[in-house]
Amino acid sequence: MRKVSLWLMIMLCGSLIWAQSEGSDEIGDDFYPGIGNGGYDVQHYDLDLEVDLSRGSINAVAQIGIIATQDLSAFNLDFNGFTIESVRIDGVEVDYRRAQAELTLIPNELIESEQTFEVTIAYQGIPPNSQNPTFAEGWVQYRRGIYVASEPAGARNWYPVNDHPLDKATYTIKITVPEPYVAASNGLLVDTQDHENDTRSYVWENFEPTASYLVTVQIAEFEMQSYYTEDGLLIRNFFPVDIAEDAEITFSQTDEMIAYFETVFGPYPFEVYGAVVVNTSLSFALETQTLSMFGRDIVVEQSGRRTGNQGIIAHELTHQWFGNSISPATWRDIWLNEGFATYGELLWVEHTLGVSDRDEMISNWYASLNTPDFIQSPIAAPGLPPGNEIYNLFNASVYLRGALTLHALRLNVGDAAFFRILRTYAARYAYGNATTEDFIQVAQEISGMNLQSFFQGWLYEKKLPPIPQMGL
Ligand code: TRP
Ligand code: ZN
């Protein structure tokens, strides 16, 4: 009797420990419950994608190199749609469950904390449609090709992933497409392979840690143009063949822009840069890492913005430092991406057109925010974006008020301290993540000023603060 209950106790305890070592099904982002996962750290994704453009489907194998950060009896990846053919851990088939975008893997034996292991998932099917009503999130097929734009959480719509910028990883992406399509992705093209059935594989290697929303696949009839900047940085652009000449002109200031931004932000953080022009018009651009994407309209139409298209080009380039090298620790910190990238537009105007053009833009933006019917939103405060709606994450305040915050900071601390703040912040958090508090900390440290009430007003309160130095 006594023996039995002892055994029972041991078994109960054992199963309790087993049950308690499931990795969390979310990473703890208060804007996005359910996003990301806990209990492990992805090191590398190796994606092998065969693309069937006539069916609109992909046939894929994802190999994911992971380190456990706790004992794992089970853990989750974010993954939406598709038919899963097999799930293996270190080559051995394992059980799994699926519920909406959560894929739970159940290893045959407990994975111990700090253990390295490899997950291999074979899957196929037509990528699911984006659930986001404002932007496409994920894999999108259009008439003349395919693009992937995943910010903030659409990577799960095309591969199994820890879908949060806190878990960055490196990538190898092999894309097989029928001729005459060309497949581009982040990083460097390290290999191409021709196959007998008139398909070609493109193997892309992305060596720097990358947030999942910044990973892209671009398929169209592209012309690739590449060159080295004076400083020896490789630039490779992908343009639709029929507008390649005009696109070359549109993007001809890229090397100048990089050289200028290096003087204000510090060294360009990656080993390659370029633009891909999607062969359809888009109402947005995205700073996909090392290969910013733009719609066809950037070449064939002038945008309505004051700076023309160079403003958007400067914006996506600035994101390579702010957003890509340093990514937000939570989605609430999104102004650290968009406010900075929008400030990059102002800096480019200042550099090319002068201070008075810059100040005119600032005054216009200030006026557009400073109207009674504009829904003022504190850009870094807790709580959901305006209208209590997560899809308003990319609202105008995050962009414009974010940029004005930086300009107001510059006017308060002076140019020398301001640019030292930007460079220190860019260097200190390179290839990682930062919070709004981290930035405030750097600003105070470098300026030697107490900036608590300054940032309180600009970032956490509804009312738009004045910019007295500009009479605003
Ligand atoms: N970050 C983009 C920009 O440069 C905007 C954006 C947000 C986006 N989510 C997106 C673009 C999804 C494409 C797809 O401002
Ligand atoms: Zn942006």
Side-chain angles (χ1 to χ4, degrees):
M1 183 66 182
R2 198 164 170 263
K3 253 186 186 161
V4 170
S5 56
L6 196 70
W7 271 115
L8 208 75
M9 267 181 63
I10 291 168
M11 278 166 63
L12 271 171
C13 286
S15 64
L16 220 72
I17 290 163
W18 177 254
Q20 278 176 351
S21 50
E22 289 186 11
S24 167
D25 63 1
E26 58 176 15
I27 213 161
D29 191 304
D30 62 355
F31 262 27
Y32 265 103
I35 212 177
N37 306 284
Y40 63 87
D41 182 4
V42 176
Q43 305 296 297
H44 186 76
Y45 293 88
D46 187 319
L47 308 177
D48 184 340
L49 310 161
E50 267 172 47
V51 183
D52 183 334
L53 284 108
S54 56
R55 286 185 55 226
S57 62
I58 62 179
N59 197 342
V61 179
Q63 271 187 12
I64 311 171
I66 302 179
I67 298 179
T69 55
Q70 63 169 67
D71 288 354
L72 291 172
S73 57
F75 61 94
N76 279 22
L77 287 162
D78 302 306
F79 192 42
N80 196 21
F82 297 102
T83 303
I84 292 182
E85 269 150 13
S86 66
V87 178
R88 290 168 205 273
I89 296 180
D90 291 334
V92 180
E93 198 127 357
V94 299
D95 286 336
Y96 63 91
R97 297 190 295 269
R98 301 190 76 180
Q100 285 97 35
E102 295 290 346
L103 168 64
T104 306
L105 284 77
I106 302 135
N108 298 331
E109 283 156 46
L110 187 80
I111 294 171
E112 284 178 23
S113 184
E114 288 172 46
Q115 196 179 316
T116 299
F117 59 99
E118 189 165 80
V119 168
T120 307
I121 299 175
Y123 60 98
Q124 51 95 9
I126 297 171
N129 290 329
S130 167
Q131 296 89 49
N132 187 330
T134 55
F135 295 113
E137 264 186 273
W139 181 284
V140 179
Q141 182 155 2
Y142 58 94
R143 203 162 68 81
R144 300 186 200 84
I146 283 163
Y147 70 81
V148 170
S150 301
E151 190 180 21
R156 64 183 62 190
N157 289 339
W158 65 285
Y159 67 100
V161 55
N162 193 14
D163 205 1
H164 193 280
L166 275 178
D167 191 359
K168 297 188 182 191
T170 53
Y171 283 79
T172 306
I173 303 183
K174 176 177 175 182
I175 310 149
T176 305
V177 290
E179 315 239 28
Y181 287 102
V182 172
S185 185
N186 316 79
L188 296 174
L189 181 63
V190 293
D191 195 16
T192 57
Q193 299 152 11
D194 287 314
H195 308 289
E196 283 184 351
N197 58 352
D198 287 333
T199 62
R200 176 179 276 191
S201 301
Y202 294 82
V203 183
W204 290 89
E205 196 78 55
N206 187 21
F207 298 98
E208 311 297 350
T210 306
S212 54
Y213 74 92
L214 296 169
V215 180
T216 193
V217 169
Q218 299 285 341
I219 301 170
E221 288 186 49
F222 290 127
E223 176 177 320
M224 185 179 84
Q225 297 181 352
S226 59
Y227 61 93
Y228 287 89
T229 66
E230 258 175 45
D231 293 340
L233 178 71
L234 175 64
I235 307 293
R236 40 100 188 92
N237 296 316
F238 287 86
F239 299 141
V241 286
D242 65 313
I243 52 167
E245 274 175 35
D246 288 344
E248 190 177 348
I249 297 165
T250 305
F251 289 94
S252 61
Q253 295 176 59
T254 299
D255 40 355
E256 255 174 273
M257 275 188 194
I258 293 172
Y260 167 65
F261 283 138
E262 286 194 321
T263 70
V264 279
F265 304 150
Y268 175 76
F270 306 117
E271 65 276 293
V272 58
Y273 187 61
V276 56
V277 174
V278 174
N279 203 359
T280 190
S281 289
L282 299 174
S283 55
F284 56 79
L286 183 63
E287 63 269 24
T288 29
Q289 192 153 311
T290 73
L291 184 68
S292 293
M293 63 177 279
F294 301 85
R296 192 181 155 89
D297 40 326
I298 195 159
V299 177
V300 297
E301 288 162 34
Q302 278 295 310
S303 94
R305 289 219 208 183
R306 171 76 184 78
T307 48
N309 298 336
Q310 298 309 312
I312 302 163
I313 292 170
H315 180 111
E316 307 310 334
L317 176 58
T318 303
H319 271 308
Q320 305 301 317
W321 284 261
F322 303 108
N324 299 10
S325 171
I326 309 182
S327 304
T330 77
W331 284 109
R332 186 156 49 81
D333 300 305
I334 187 63
W335 84 279
L336 295 175
N337 285 16
E338 301 307 345
F340 282 62
T342 307
Y343 199 66
E345 298 177 44
L346 287 174
L347 286 173
W348 185 246
V349 168
E350 174 181 328
H351 179 68
T352 53
L353 304 173
V355 166
S356 71
D357 283 54
R358 179 203 69 195
D359 284 348
E360 194 187 320
M361 271 175 82
I362 291 173
S363 300
N364 289 340
W365 289 354
Y366 193 91
S368 78
L369 293 173
N370 200 25
T371 63
D373 47 317
F374 186 85
I375 310 163
Q376 294 297 342
S377 114
I379 59 185
L384 283 172
N388 232 9
E389 177 51 78
I390 188 61
Y391 294 124
N392 290 334
L393 182 58
F394 297 92
N395 65 80
S397 274
V398 159
Y399 287 75
L400 302 183
R401 184 163 165 170
L404 296 183
T405 301
L406 290 175
H407 196 65
L409 175 67
R410 180 175 169 185
L411 294 174
N412 266 340
V413 302
D415 276 18
F418 176 73
F419 289 109
R420 232 174 336 117
I421 289 167
L422 292 188
R423 284 192 295 272
T424 306
Y425 172 67
R428 188 172 296 172
Y429 295 99
Y431 311 118
N433 303 82
T435 63
T436 298
E437 281 305 317
D438 291 330
F439 177 70
I440 294 174
Q441 179 61 40
V442 171
Q444 296 197 124
E445 178 189 316
I446 301 298
S447 67
M449 291 165 68
N450 182 336
L451 298 165
Q452 289 302 328
S453 73
F454 170 85
F455 283 115
Q456 178 66 29
W458 277 99
L459 299 176
Y460 297 102
E461 271 159 37
K462 236 175 159 166
K463 193 176 162 352
L464 188 67
I467 308 180
Q469 298 93 334
M470 293 184 68
L472 298 172

